[in-house]
């Protein structure tokens, strides 16, 4: 949250070390440091942060691919609150709608998205399916009041609900 730990010096050092060790980096950025996160695996701003940084404001699709290219990110995912997520992978673009049944509190939804995406990605799941699962997980935590972690049990429950 721009408290100073992740600053231009530390960001570049972390990215360089990760590249040398062939470790992926998953970023939930703040606008102030957008352009510092080059060559990361996943770059995941929310829509308002994305729009604040991408001043041209042509279309989400066009601006998204431009940002992805400028950052040389493998994947760009823009979280759009109740509208779901927009995913940019290679030359593919996907709009993934939210699947929450009843939203009580959005606290922790963005953290749930990136954490769920990262674990699925690290386990070898493709970016589209990792995004679908992370979107379901975020919808599930929004059904609770306060910050609640996603659990295997709650994921199983949401999968069975949306699979039927």
């Amino acid at each position: 949250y721009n408290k100073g730990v992740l600053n231009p010096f530390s960001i570049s050092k972390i990215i360089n070390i990760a590249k040398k060790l062939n470790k992926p980096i998953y970023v939930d950025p703040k606008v102030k440091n957008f352009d510092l996160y080059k060559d990361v695996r996943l770059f995941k701003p929310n829509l308002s942060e994305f729009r604040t940084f991408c001043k041209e404001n042509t279309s989400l699709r066009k601006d998204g691919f431009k940002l992805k290219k400028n950052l040389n990110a493998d994947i760009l995912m823009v979280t759009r609150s109740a509208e779901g997520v927009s995913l940019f992978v290679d030359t593919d673009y996907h709009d993934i709608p939210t699947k929450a049944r009843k939203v009580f509190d959005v606290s922790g939804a963005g953290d749930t998205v990136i954490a769920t995406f990262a674990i699925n990605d690290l386990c070898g799941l493709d970016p589209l399916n990792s995004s679908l699962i992370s979107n379901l997980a975020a919808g599930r935590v929004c059904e609770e009041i306060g910050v609640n972690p996603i659990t295997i049990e709650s994921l199983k429950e949401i999968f069975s609900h949306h699979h039927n």
Side-chain angles (χ1 to χ4, degrees):
Y1 297 112
N2 285 334
K3 299 292 184 192
V5 173
L6 294 176
N7 56 51
F9 177 78
S10 64
I11 291 169
S12 68
K13 280 288 195 195
I14 291 166
I15 290 173
N16 287 333
I17 290 168
K19 280 199 288 192
K20 286 178 186 172
L21 297 172
N22 199 27
K23 302 292 181 189
I25 294 182
Y26 303 86
V27 178
D28 187 352
K30 294 298 171 204
V31 174
K32 180 179 174 184
N33 294 325
F34 259 43
D35 53 349
L36 299 176
Y37 292 105
K38 298 195 185 302
D39 305 317
V40 298
R41 174 68 178 155
L42 174 74
F43 191 77
K44 188 212 73 63
N46 66 38
L47 185 59
S48 67
E49 293 165 335
F50 175 82
R51 282 291 169 220
T52 299
F53 187 79
C54 297
K55 305 238 186 277
E56 291 175 32
N57 205 7
T58 51
S59 74
L60 178 62
R61 185 180 206 147
K62 185 175 180 182
D63 293 342
F65 278 116
K66 183 177 179 182
L67 178 61
K68 181 182 174 301
K69 181 180 179 187
N70 288 344
L71 294 175
N72 194 34
D74 294 338
I75 303 161
L76 170 68
M77 179 193 296
V78 179
T79 54
R80 298 178 291 124
S81 194
E83 302 300 314
V85 299
S86 293
L87 181 69
F88 303 79
V89 182
D90 300 321
T91 58
D92 296 331
Y93 172 78
H94 303 276
D95 266 329
I96 303 167
T98 298
K99 299 287 187 182
R101 295 168 288 192
K102 290 183 180 180
V103 175
F104 291 105
D105 191 340
V106 297
S107 301
D111 294 334
T112 300
V113 167
I114 196 164
T116 306
F117 181 94
I119 193 71
N120 283 288
D121 189 57
L122 289 167
C123 288
L125 195 61
D126 64 272
L128 178 57
N129 282 307
S130 295
S131 298
L132 291 167
I133 292 170
S134 66
N135 194 42
L136 285 172
R140 180 64 183 87
V141 300
C142 289
E143 294 174 0
E144 306 290 333
I145 295 174
V147 178
N148 290 281
I150 192 70
T151 64
I152 294 295
E153 292 75 27
S154 59
L155 270 177
K156 286 178 182 177
E157 187 270 327
I158 200 82
F159 288 149
S160 67
H161 175 79
H162 287 288
H163 186 61
N164 294 333

